[in-house]
Every structure is written in structure tokens, then in C-alpha cells.
Amino acid sequence: MLFSEIKGQEEAVRKLRSAIDNNKLPHALLITGPEATGGLALAHAAAQYIICQHRHDGEPCGQCPECKQVAKLGHPDLHWVYPIVNKSTGSGKEASVSEDFLSVWREAFLANPYITQPEWTKSIASDENKQLKIFVSEAAAIVRTLSTKPYESDYRILILWLPERMNEDAANKLLKIIEEPYEKTFFLLVSHDPEKIIGTILSRVQRLQLAPFDLKGNFVQPGLQMPDEEDRTFFFEKFCAMMRLSYARKLYDMKAWSEEMAALGRERQKNYLQYAQVLIRENYIMNLHDPELNYMNEEETAFSSKFSRFVNARNVEGIMKVLETAELDITQNVNAKMVFFDLSLKFIMLLKAGNQA
Ligand SMILES: [Zn+2]
């Protein structure tokens, strides 16, 4: 992950990058912010920046073998701890540790670096209300991991998601590790509820506060409005059709759809493209499970309850960009049939990218 891929956290990125550049990164840093504001993504980008052998212009190069391993969550000097369910049963057996769930974690995080607690719970527990924990056995596993030498890079990094899910025993054991730091080892803790972290830990870490996520500011130009009721219903149908056809790759029908769109006046074409941007934003927000930010009507909400999983951190920017470009093309009198057909073609790839989530 590159720093530039993290939206709306310019200040936190600047501070973190500067600490790394100046060798002032504390050995234990607590990144705090609400869910889905990018704490995990930021920790991942920082790890890549630290481990990369060819960083330049304030970013990891993205090309070296280290960068590629970090990007795939396969670098031997980058370790992950996250809350889990205990699958180990029977007396005398140690509780499960994060390592036991690494392949699931890899898949879940890579699909969505803005993963939330409910989403992660769904990935590993049959009961989505299950309370995940970081067990005391995790501390021993961390000691084992960090007692060996770094494999490939000069540094080792441990990203620990949700320190608030440690019980007191686990926290006290971890505290010892944080108090007597291993050489060239960084702990990046990511918390959404720092008040629940045990005080002794809180007092030993430096904090980096994320900005609350301003989705409207980040993804939609100011001034985009919902069209009037009649157009809204009409545009909604067109939008659903476009998503379905692009998803199913029905080129012939996509062409017919483009011709219908081309038959509308320029002004309505522009209004449609603006409406599409609003709906995409709404779907992205829905995907973040923040219903309070939602402005959709009943039909749109029903459609989006299924569609929103296709709109996520992997593709939302790309989608907004192609819609904006199409709007601009229409304004500049580019052939509308081509603009809309091209748009539906681009959605084939964009929906595919989002569907991996
Ligand atoms: Zn690199």
C-alpha cells in the first residue's frame, strides 16, 4: 500500500512519514481513529515504507521484492496480530493465535484494507455477534516471533489491530515486550476505541490520531444534487441496467443502452452522470455500514443492499473518475453514444475489481 492510496489522512501520513524519514518513529505507536478511517491501511503503508529498499519521494517504490512481499502480506519481517476466536479446545492446550488465521486474514485484508470488526468477525466466526479476542497465548507467540533475527530486512514490524480486545493478562504480557523493546522492531497498534485499552499500555505508547472520514469531501464534488423525482426514477432504472449489463458483460445490450442514453439531451445526460456519482457514493457509504450518512430512497436502498458490496476502497476512486470524465466529455460535446458505451465497458473491469472484496 502506498501513502498516496490513503484518502483523507494527509496530516497523519505527513507525521508518520516524517518520523520514519528522520529515524524518530517510536518503537510503539498507537494509531487511533473510527473504523474504516484507514488505520490499518496506514500501518500497512508505513510498514512497506520502512521495509522498502528503494523508497523515494516519500513513498515506498512498490517495485522491489520487499515491497511486493509486503503488499501481498507475505514479508517474513512483517507480523500481524488481530482478535480471533479460540479454535483450540481441551485442557492444557494453548489458545489459538493470529498465525492460525493468517491465510483468512491475508485474504480479508487484501480484499479490503479498510476492513471493519463486523466484517472480520464474519470471515472467521460462524456467529457474527461473537466477541473476538486477543488471547494471552498471543503474547508468548509474539516473544517467539521476535526472538529470531529479522529475515530479510533491517527492521521488523508488528501490526496489532484492536489492542482494546486484549484482556488484562494478555495486555500485561505485551506490556513487558513494549517496555523492553527488541532492537530494530516497531509496534504499530491500530485502535478504534483507545479508551478501552489498559492504561499501562496507553501510557507507554505514542499516539497518532486519524482525521474523521469526510466521505462527501473526499469523493464527490460539492454541488452534486439529486435530480427531481421523475428523473430520479428514470435515472435509477438506467443506472441499474448499466450495472447489470456491465456485470454480465452483455456487450450487445450495453450498446443498445448507450444508444438510449445518447438519445437524451446533453443536459439530461450530464444529470444522469451526476446522479450516478451520488449513487456510487451512497453505495460506498452503505458498504462502510454507516446508515446515518445515507440519502437514498426505498428503491435505491433495496438495490444497493445487494450492489454496495461491489463498491469499496479497491474501486470507488476509479469509478468516480470515469463518471467525472464521462460528464466532462458530454460537456465538451464528445459523441454521446461513444461516451456511454465506453463508460459501460470500463464498468466491466471496475465491478470486477470491486467484486474481489
Ligand atoms: Zn520497494
Side-chain angles (χ1 to χ4, degrees):
M1 193 121 196
L2 303 182
F3 286 126
S4 60
E5 292 175 272
I6 298 159
K7 297 298 148 199
Q9 298 299 348
E10 287 73 15
E11 181 64 13
V13 165
R14 197 186 54 72
K15 283 185 187 159
L16 190 50
R17 177 161 51 206
S18 146
I20 298 168
D21 284 343
N22 298 306
N23 290 321
K24 294 217 167 110
L25 185 67
H27 70 268
L29 180 73
L30 174 67
I31 302 171
T32 63
E35 295 223 69
T37 44
L40 271 175
L42 184 60
H44 186 233
Q48 189 169 337
Y49 191 55
I50 293 166
I51 289 175
C52 174
Q53 300 287 333
H54 303 285
R55 71 170 87 135
H56 58 81
D57 301 326
E59 288 282 12
C61 74
Q63 302 298 321
C64 69
E66 281 75 16
C67 271
K68 286 183 176 164
Q69 283 180 309
V70 172
K72 286 190 292 189
L73 266 54
H75 197 285
D77 296 317
L78 173 60
H79 306 283
W80 296 84
V81 172
Y82 30 79
I84 52 170
V85 285
N86 186 13
K87 288 202 166 157
S88 159
T89 50
S91 61
K93 283 197 181 162
E94 274 197 8
S96 304
V97 289
S98 298
E99 180 82 26
D100 301 333
F101 296 86
L102 187 57
S103 59
V104 194
W105 172 253
R106 213 174 257 151
E107 197 179 323
F109 176 81
L110 292 177
N112 180 12
Y114 289 76
I115 188 167
T116 59
Q117 298 180 67
E119 285 164 349
W120 172 235
T121 307
K122 243 189 239 171
S123 309
I124 63 165
S126 45
D127 172 10
E128 59 184 273
N129 296 315
K130 178 102 184 157
Q131 278 287 320
L132 303 187
K133 284 188 189 128
I134 295 173
F135 297 96
V136 65
S137 51
E138 197 73 63
I142 293 173
V143 172
R144 275 199 302 276
T145 303
L146 299 183
S147 303
T148 56
K149 277 195 156 194
Y151 285 90
E152 287 175 7
S153 58
D154 298 334
Y155 296 99
R156 265 179 314 199
I157 297 147
L158 189 137
I159 299 177
L160 188 152
W161 186 38
L162 302 172
E164 56 268 38
R165 295 296 186 95
M166 286 188 287
N167 67 16
E168 206 169 331
D169 282 353
N172 282 331
K173 286 213 167 159
L174 185 76
L175 187 62
K176 283 211 182 105
I177 306 171
I178 290 177
E179 277 182 324
E180 296 160 26
Y182 291 79
E183 213 184 329
K184 295 185 169 179
T185 299
F186 295 111
F187 286 89
L188 300 174
L189 284 62
V190 178
S191 168
H192 307 312
D193 201 354
E195 300 322 307
K196 289 203 181 127
I197 302 175
I198 285 175
T200 42
I201 293 225
L202 271 184
S203 65
R204 303 271 194 316
V205 295
Q206 280 193 37
R207 279 206 205 193
L208 179 67
Q209 174 75 47
L210 297 175
F213 210 175
D214 179 8
L215 280 160
K216 286 179 210 164
N218 283 322
F219 291 114
V220 177
Q221 303 159 329
L224 288 189
Q225 299 270 328
M226 279 290 188
D228 63 44
E229 274 316 303
E230 199 176 318
D231 266 356
R232 186 171 178 172
T233 308
F234 177 71
F235 289 162
F236 173 62
E237 280 166 19
K238 295 290 171 206
F239 180 86
C240 296
M242 176 181 163
M243 295 306 132
R244 287 194 181 111
L245 296 175
S246 293
Y247 181 68
R249 302 175 188 227
K250 293 193 168 164
L251 292 186
Y252 183 83
D253 293 334
M254 279 158 58
K255 215 156 185 202
W257 177 87
S258 314
E259 279 161 16
E260 280 171 41
M261 294 308 291
L264 308 176
R266 293 261 156 194
E267 206 50 38
R268 286 187 87 202
Q269 290 165 357
K270 256 174 60 185
N271 290 345
Y272 167 77
L273 291 165
Q274 295 201 353
Y275 169 78
Q277 291 171 58
V278 173
L279 258 202
I280 290 293
R281 177 193 66 188
E282 295 295 324
N283 273 272
Y284 182 67
I285 294 169
M286 194 178 213
N287 203 5
L288 294 179
H289 308 289
D290 198 345
E292 280 177 25
L293 289 166
N294 215 310
Y295 296 100
M296 290 187 286
N297 64 25
E298 213 174 305
E299 286 87 5
E300 290 160 348
T301 305
F303 171 78
S304 300
S305 66
K306 295 199 178 77
F307 176 68
S308 62
R309 72 181 184 92
F310 292 97
V311 183
N312 47 58
R314 297 179 76 98
N315 64 358
V316 67
E317 265 190 283
I319 293 178
M320 295 313 278
K321 210 164 162 189
V322 299
L323 289 170
E324 276 167 30
T325 307
E327 192 189 333
L328 188 70
D329 285 346
I330 291 296
T331 313
Q332 294 177 345
N333 282 323
V334 179
N335 181 303
K337 212 190 289 183
M338 273 173 53
V339 171
F340 281 103
F341 187 58
D342 183 53
L343 183 66
S344 63
L345 284 174
K346 284 182 176 139
F347 262 90
I348 293 180
M349 296 314 290
L350 287 162
L351 292 175
K352 195 174 169 230
N355 195 21
Q356 287 163 19

